[in-house]
Amino acid sequence: MRRLVPALLALALAATACGSERPVTATIESRTLTVFAAASLTESFGTLGKRFEERNSGVTVKFSFEGSSALVQKLTQGAKADIFASADQANMDKAAKGEVLDGQPSVFATNRLAIVVGKGNPKGIKGLADLAKDGLTVVVCAPQVPCGAAAKKVQQTSGVTLKPASEEQDVKSVLAKVRSGDADAGLVYVTDATSAAKQVDKVDFPESAGAVNSYPIAVVKDAPQADLARRFREFVLSAEGKQELAKAGFGAP
């Protein structure tokens, strides 16, 4: 009987130890995908980013929305990102020349300009020529920004010369000035006018057909999350991605 006591005690201790062990649970690795994208992609890419997160556990999509020229400058100066989506081919070409891309870019959408005015169109603006009239405060994008380059081309092809009160660094800044009442009108993309339909009115003009911008997307060289970057790029180029972009007002590539 005395010999059984140590043995029983040892078994009891072993059982206690086993019972105190916590079940092992699998952990999901957290990863952040960094996307540099043109300001005009804010709404559509924001939606696509959320869907991408839902389908890729542990992934967070971090966006940096600015003018395409500013984003290219950051990339060529060493900023880390996984994806670059430009609002025109010219700035994507600059990125390629700066050797910051991994592979060839793919065009995923197109966009064109529209005039935005205050709700109710208080100045009665009907077309591009009206923006050249005296007494109007008009804002456009700076020439190095894709929407500014498009505005410049439209003026050249139409013969209408604008005298803007300011030249903004991205299309959202133009929209903000019209929305706040600091400007009577501005040249933005159709997509931006659509996204702000509750705050501004849109005036289409036929001359915009002469300056259609193509939107290319590419994986960035030495991307920290290269596999995710390629997956996101394919998602944007997919039928679902194109459907969401079309809903926002973008044209097909």
Side-chain angles (χ1 to χ4, degrees), residues 152-207:
K152 183 177 180 180
K153 186 175 181 180
V154 162
Q155 292 178 71
Q156 291 172 340
T157 57
S158 66
V160 175
T161 301
L162 304 181
K163 296 179 180 178
S166 67
E167 296 180 335
E168 304 298 320
Q169 292 304 309
D170 62 65
V171 71
K172 294 300 184 185
S173 297
V174 174
L175 184 62
K177 288 206 167 185
V178 176
R179 192 165 46 198
S180 67
D182 291 334
D184 298 314
L187 284 178
V188 301
Y189 292 118
V190 168
T191 53
D192 297 288
T194 300
S195 70
K198 292 182 179 180
Q199 294 87 33
V200 297
D201 283 350
K202 175 170 68 76
V203 178
D204 292 311
F205 60 100
E207 296 90 343

Side-chain angles (χ1 to χ4, degrees), residues 73-86:
Q73 186 176 21
K74 288 184 176 181
L75 288 172
T76 55
Q77 290 177 348
K80 287 294 182 183
D82 300 298
I83 284 284
F84 174 47
S86 174

Side-chain angles (χ1 to χ4, degrees), residues 28 31 51-60 228 231:
I28 298 174
R31 294 196 287 170
R51 292 184 190 173
F52 191 78
E53 290 175 342
E54 291 170 356
R55 297 171 192 186
N56 294 272
S57 298
V59 173
T60 298
L228 282 178
R231 212 180 303 167

Side-chain angles (χ1 to χ4, degrees), residues 196-247:
K198 292 182 179 180
Q199 294 87 33
V200 297
D201 283 350
K202 175 170 68 76
V203 178
D204 292 311
F205 60 100
E207 296 90 343
S208 66
V212 177
N213 281 16
S214 294
Y215 282 56
I217 187 170
V219 176
V220 176
K221 186 177 180 181
D222 298 325
Q225 302 292 341
D227 60 327
L228 282 178
R230 286 188 285 270
R231 212 180 303 167
F232 184 80
R233 173 181 172 275
E234 292 308 311
F235 183 50
V236 171
L237 292 167
S238 71
E240 183 178 351
K242 291 176 181 177
Q243 183 179 28
E244 182 59 37
L245 290 160
K247 191 189 301 182

Side-chain angles (χ1 to χ4, degrees), residues 22-157:
R22 295 179 180 178
V24 178
T25 56
T27 57
I28 298 174
E29 182 186 2
S30 297
R31 294 196 287 170
T32 299
L33 177 72
T34 303
V35 179
F36 278 16
S40 52
L41 291 166
T42 300
E43 291 80 17
S44 54
F45 265 35
T47 299
L48 291 176
K50 289 178 182 177
R51 292 184 190 173
F52 191 78
E53 290 175 342
E54 291 170 356
R55 297 171 192 186
N56 294 272
S57 298
V59 173
T60 298
V61 183
K62 179 183 177 183
F63 289 105
S64 180
F65 293 112
E66 293 185 59
S68 298
S69 57
L71 294 173
V72 171
Q73 186 176 21
K74 288 184 176 181
L75 288 172
T76 55
Q77 290 177 348
K80 287 294 182 183
D82 300 298
I83 284 284
F84 174 47
S86 174
D88 67 350
Q89 190 62 51
N91 277 290
M92 186 60 79
D93 290 344
K94 289 179 183 177
K97 188 176 180 180
E99 299 182 348
V100 296
L101 303 181
D102 181 7
Q104 293 296 316
S106 299
V107 175
F108 62 93
T110 60
N111 214 347
R112 64 171 64 189
L113 296 177
I115 302 168
V116 284
V117 297
K119 291 300 291 183
N121 195 1
K123 300 292 183 178
I125 295 169
K126 297 179 180 179
L128 184 65
D130 290 339
L131 300 186
K133 293 179 178 179
D134 293 335
L136 282 181
T137 301
V138 178
V139 290
V140 299
C141 291
Q144 70 271 19
V145 183
C147 60
K152 183 177 180 180
K153 186 175 181 180
V154 162
Q155 292 178 71
Q156 291 172 340
T157 57

